Amino acid sequence: MSPRKIIIDTDPGIDDILALLLALSAKPEEVEVLLISLTFGNIEVRSCLRNVVSMFHILEREMKWRREQGRPEGFGALRACRPVVAVGAEDPLEEQKMLADYFHGTDGLGGIHASHPHLTPKETWEHLFDPSADPVEVEPVPTGDAAHRSFIPSKRPAHEEILRVLRENEADTVTLVAVGPLTNLALASAADPETFLKVKEVVIMGGTVNFPGNVTPMGEFNAYADAVAAARVYALTSPTPSSTMPTNSVSLQGYPEKLSKQLTLRQFPLNITLRHGMKRGQFRKAITPLLETGSPLAEWVSAFMAHTFKTLERLHPGHVGDEAELSMHDPVCVWYALTPVDPRWKSSSTSPEDIRIETTGQWTRGMCVVDGRNRHRIEGDQESSSDHGLWLSQKAGNRIWRMDASPGEENFGEIIIERLFT
């Protein structure tokens, strides 16, 4: 069986880095990571880029260390296919920018670049992503530079790289895993909706459905950070995208009236991701012997995880000592992309659901709105006084597959540790 092809759109970030490591640590027959596209979100996008380059730098050192120790190198997916790395959106489409550096640290990894400078590569790589040199060609990687051998830097904007990958592969063969704000996806789908719809499915970490948010009472961070972008991407799941397009969106043109297909979108809201975690005690037990034997990856991950667990203790009462638990929001989405045929993945009993993203509410930006009324569906597509917004129409509304169960809910921390470190 050929490996599953994926794009990861991300804003690294602590759990984003763990999600990337999970993908790259897969066996080559499991997955082929074609592109890592970067967006603002947890931190500024240039800091996201530094974190990704640092990750590749550490992985080169880790694989060298494992060879010298007589251990299996691991990271077969990375060794089999160097992903392209592209820099994307710096700001949301419409709203004021909000970052999550209060949790992830100003550099996204708990200040690791200042506290552990020996784990960060010298910034001689920045010119590789400079579009002023040549905005078309992908920059060849210097073969003698260990920090750059594992990825291909691109000078194109991330949304253009997303479209390039989809054009160059057969329809319905590439899965797009989006674990940050959806700005890059909105830009790509606006520029060329039919090419964007060649994607097999879009797997999104975002939103919360009838469940508390994590940045406002109603809003989950990724949906809140660019609600207009999320609403536009969700609208592509509708038979009539105009029925759910945000009315306050002026930065991008609308979609054509007729599209060749509807987008398949799998949403991983807080409802499911908060059930997947890694406890400090669990992490410490696994990482200590690796630190003692000199694993570069263990030292790097341990440094930013130490900051994370301290932050959890400060922000969340009851998360103390070895019981402090980091939710694995983004790795859950990558785990699905690696194992989509596992029958233990389940969507909600009401999927596909008409889930819409609120973009104009003063207190409800980013809210996932669902219709809980017990009403008869109607055939027409004309708005009526009793159904403002066409919530009951068979021809309108979004069609979202909301994921609700996984094969790793009970032991996901163990899965992550085993995949990354053994």
Side-chain angles (χ1 to χ4, degrees), residues 324-340:
E325 185 174 23
L326 174 65
S327 296
M328 297 282 104
H329 302 290
D330 299 341
V332 176
C333 296
V334 168
W335 185 236
Y336 169 80
L338 296 178
T339 62

Side-chain angles (χ1 to χ4, degrees), residues 2-326:
S2 58
R4 298 177 181 89
K5 299 178 180 182
I6 65 172
I7 297 168
I8 303 178
D9 190 78
T10 178
D11 57 337
I14 289 162
D15 59 325
D16 303 74
I17 286 290
L18 295 176
L20 289 170
L21 290 172
L22 177 61
L24 297 172
S25 68
K27 297 177 182 178
E29 61 269 23
E30 286 182 311
V31 71
E32 188 176 355
V33 183
L34 302 177
L35 170 65
I36 298 171
S37 55
L38 302 176
T39 177
F40 82 95
N42 291 321
I43 48 173
E44 300 285 0
V45 72
R46 301 307 297 189
S47 294
C48 293
L49 177 60
R50 178 168 64 167
N51 292 344
V52 167
V53 173
S54 295
M55 177 191 70
F56 284 113
H57 170 74
I58 290 296
L59 287 177
E60 286 287 347
R61 291 177 55 183
E62 175 73 8
M63 290 186 287
K64 180 176 183 291
W65 176 80
R66 291 184 184 184
R67 289 193 299 270
E68 292 172 348
Q69 293 282 314
R71 302 171 182 237
E73 284 184 72
F75 296 95
L78 174 59
R79 288 185 286 115
C81 174
R82 289 188 304 156
V84 173
V85 175
V87 181
E90 298 181 2
D91 300 287
L93 295 180
E94 311 279 345
E95 298 105 345
Q96 182 179 358
K97 181 159 63 177
M98 173 186 175
L99 304 176
D101 50 5
Y102 67 92
F103 183 84
H104 295 268
T106 54
D107 68 354
L109 294 178
I112 193 172
H113 301 296
S115 63
H116 295 69
H118 62 289
L119 299 178
T120 300
K122 296 179 180 179
E123 295 186 1
T124 57
W125 46 267
E126 289 186 318
H127 74 283
L128 300 175
F129 297 89
D130 183 1
S132 65
D134 186 340
V136 177
E137 296 300 322
V138 170
E139 179 78 14
V141 178
T143 56
D145 194 332
H148 308 149
R149 279 202 299 262
S150 295
F151 68 90
I152 301 171
S154 173
K155 292 178 167 63
R156 295 186 184 94
H159 74 277
E160 292 183 7
E161 283 290 356
I162 291 172
L163 292 172
R164 178 192 62 79
V165 170
L166 294 174
R167 288 189 190 103
E168 292 178 359
N169 288 272
E170 293 184 16
D172 300 319
T173 62
V174 177
T175 295
L176 205 170
V177 182
V179 293
L182 299 184
T183 317
N184 287 335
L185 279 66
L187 291 168
S189 60
D192 190 342
E194 287 296 344
T195 294
F196 188 79
L197 288 173
K198 289 181 65 180
V199 71
K200 180 177 181 180
E201 60 184 359
V202 172
V203 178
I204 286 174
M205 191 282 122
T208 178
V209 180
N210 297 324
F211 192 82
N214 59 3
V215 292
T216 71
M218 299 295 183
E220 176 276 330
F221 176 81
N222 288 338
Y224 183 93
D226 197 340
V228 169
R232 290 184 62 96
V233 175
Y234 279 45
L236 285 170
T237 70
S238 174
T240 312
S242 60
S243 67
T244 62
M245 282 284 280
T247 56
N248 60 323
S249 178
V250 296
S251 58
L252 297 175
Q253 63 183 8
Y255 300 124
E257 282 297 316
K258 296 294 182 181
L259 292 169
S260 61
K261 60 182 288 191
Q262 294 167 234
L263 178 69
T264 299
L265 190 152
R266 296 193 185 273
Q267 181 197 30
F268 284 74
L270 294 179
N271 308 59
I272 181 173
T273 62
L274 282 170
R275 304 200 304 260
H276 296 74
M278 181 189 296
K279 292 187 176 182
R280 175 191 265 148
Q282 181 183 45
F283 179 75
R284 179 178 50 78
K285 181 180 178 181
I287 212 75
T288 299
L290 292 169
L291 290 172
E292 292 172 348
T293 52
S295 162
L297 181 62
E299 182 183 6
W300 190 63
V301 175
S302 181
F304 65 72
M305 289 291 279
H307 167 272
T308 303
F309 288 124
K310 287 180 181 177
T311 303
L312 285 168
E313 285 186 324
R314 177 169 51 85
L315 295 177
H316 299 287
H319 283 259
V320 296
D322 281 353
E323 292 304 305
E325 185 174 23
L326 174 65

